[in-house]
């Protein structure tokens, strides 16, 4: 969540996570690439990969913008 807040500081508190898919376990020492894509004012899609293999993905839903 730190990276989400760093990239999108205007987002409110995390409300829920949906469509989570764990595709394979991560092993100690593996390098992971996190990709974030803001879909709306309150949704961020995430993908985690190691090498070319997908590890996890889902949608983060936030309570709303913090003013």
């Amino acid at each position: 969540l730190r990276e989400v807040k760093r990239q999108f500081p205007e987002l409110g508190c995390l409300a829920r996570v949906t469509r989570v898919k764990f595709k394979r376990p991560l092993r100690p020492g593996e390098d992971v690439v996190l990709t974030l894509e803001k879909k709306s004012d309150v949704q961020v899609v995430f993908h985690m990969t190691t090498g070319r293999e997908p590890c996890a993905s889902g949608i983060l839903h936030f309570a709303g913008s913090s003013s």
Side-chain angles (χ1 to χ4, degrees), residues 3-12 36-38 44-45:
E3 185 60 23
V4 174
K5 287 295 191 174
R6 189 186 73 72
Q7 288 189 33
F8 310 111
E10 70 279 6
L11 292 173
L36 301 170
E37 181 182 357
K38 190 172 179 188
V44 175
V45 174

Side-chain angles (χ1 to χ4, degrees), residues 3-62:
E3 185 60 23
V4 174
K5 287 295 191 174
R6 189 186 73 72
Q7 288 189 33
F8 310 111
E10 70 279 6
L11 292 173
C13 295
L14 181 65
R16 66 180 196 243
V17 182
T18 59
R19 295 190 181 183
V20 177
K21 294 182 183 175
F22 297 101
K23 299 176 181 175
R24 77 169 197 71
L26 294 175
R27 292 176 180 78
E30 281 189 302
D31 290 327
V32 177
V33 174
L34 173 64
T35 304
L36 301 170
E37 181 182 357
K38 190 172 179 188
K39 287 294 195 177
S40 73
D41 288 343
V42 295
Q43 288 186 356
V44 175
V45 174
F46 73 90
H47 297 277
M48 294 173 61
T49 58
T50 181
R52 292 184 179 193
E53 290 185 67
C55 301
S57 63
I59 302 173
L60 305 172
H61 300 263
F62 293 85

